[in-house]
Amino acid sequence: MRVEIWSDIACPWCYVGKARFEKALDAFPHRDGVEIVHRSFELDPGRAKGDTQPVLKMLTKKYGMSEAQAQAGEDNLGAQAAAEGLDYRTRDRDHGNTFDMHRLLHFAKAQGRQDELIQALYKANFAEERSVFDSDERLVELAAGVGLDAEDARKVLADPTAYADDVRADEREAAELGANGVPFFVLDRKYGVSGAQPAEVFAQALTQAWGEHSPLKLIDSSADGGAEACGPDGCAVPQA
């Protein structure tokens, strides 16, 4: 069974939601039969690369709230993150464009390190003092930290077209599925779960989706059930 997760590194609920989902997944009896794929979604796609600002300033401008209200929201998020065992800096974080991070995540997917990198990016953005929007070298360091080749990661970031189509394809697909916010979880293309739901909700969704996920049933009209076919060891040779 495949679970696809649309998310953005700048989204605090994606950070919290991932932890809640993984809590449910760890307790799921069929855990080894679940494939996780992370998909791209930008919360602020119109922001230029290098255009960063404090999170509180972004919140007050975007939602028309006071700085005190924005800070109260950050404090609440910090408490919710802590309840999931996550570190969360409620002061002095910044906000910026995440497109390059998504490109790098597609590169990591091709190397089998996507989940490790997205977790490293979340931790760096929400829990560490140094900004993930600092420079390309900051992202290279994070990529190397999860086992990706630093020079290859640097080349991806230096080429604005690398994996760009993959990111855009994910975003188009999110729109087609009706996802207008993240996190957004899609289970076997049958069920969707929106938001950082409690672990119990994810557990229920996993159980329900798995219950409808059945092995492929083969139909064979041959008398002996062994019609000719080709496989890794070659092709069946017709006998006279």
Side-chain angles (χ1 to χ4, degrees):
M1 184 171 74
R2 171 180 284 194
V3 178
E4 297 161 278
I5 308 173
W6 272 264
S7 58
D8 191 13
I9 301 305
C11 167
W13 288 117
C14 295
Y15 180 47
V16 173
K18 183 175 186 291
R20 291 176 178 173
F21 172 76
E22 288 176 347
K23 184 180 293 184
L25 187 61
D26 287 344
F28 188 55
H30 307 290
R31 169 66 184 89
D32 291 344
V34 180
E35 175 192 9
I36 307 299
V37 178
H38 295 282
R39 302 290 193 190
S40 301
F41 190 105
E42 293 174 274
L43 290 174
D44 201 354
R47 184 177 292 271
K49 180 176 180 177
D51 178 13
T52 62
Q53 66 180 149
V55 166
L56 290 188
K57 185 176 180 180
M58 180 273 293
L59 291 172
T60 57
K61 182 178 180 180
K62 186 172 182 178
Y63 299 107
M65 60 177 65
S66 68
E67 187 169 317
Q69 289 173 318
Q71 187 59 66
E74 281 293 285
D75 291 340
N76 177 269
L77 275 163
Q80 301 230 26
E84 304 303 331
L86 301 172
D87 293 327
Y88 189 98
R89 293 177 66 237
T90 61
R91 302 290 190 280
D92 302 323
R93 286 193 306 107
D94 59 359
H95 176 80
N97 179 282
T98 57
F99 186 64
D100 281 352
M101 297 180 208
H102 286 295
R103 293 196 301 111
L104 203 58
L105 282 166
H106 275 281
F107 163 68
K109 178 185 176 184
Q111 308 302 315
R113 290 283 188 274
Q114 190 185 43
D115 191 72
E116 292 89 341
L117 181 58
I118 198 170
Q119 191 60 35
L121 289 168
Y122 277 141
K123 182 179 179 183
N125 186 41
F126 292 108
E128 296 177 4
E129 185 172 349
R130 185 179 172 190
S131 172
V132 292
F133 307 103
D134 187 2
S135 67
D136 283 355
E137 282 305 304
R138 173 61 166 147
L139 299 183
V140 170
E141 290 172 12
L142 292 169
V146 300
L148 293 167
D149 183 83
E151 188 55 36
D152 286 344
R154 192 173 287 114
K155 289 178 181 177
V156 168
L157 293 170
D159 177 3
T161 67
Y163 298 97
D165 288 345
D166 299 274
V167 176
R168 297 306 184 207
D170 279 356
E171 293 174 338
R172 284 194 301 271
E173 196 163 10
E176 291 167 1
L177 290 170
N180 53 17
V182 284
F184 188 68
F185 302 77
V186 176
L187 292 77
D188 245 12
R189 289 300 170 108
K190 293 181 179 179
Y191 296 97
V193 179
S194 181
Q197 300 284 350
E200 294 76 14
V201 173
F202 288 122
Q204 180 183 356
L206 286 166
T207 299
Q208 188 167 348
W210 185 269
E212 297 185 13
H213 176 83
S214 57
L216 188 69
K217 294 180 180 179
L218 295 177
I219 297 175
D220 195 334
S221 62
S222 59
D224 61 359
E228 292 82 0
C230 293
D233 297 323
C235 297
V237 179
Q239 301 295 315

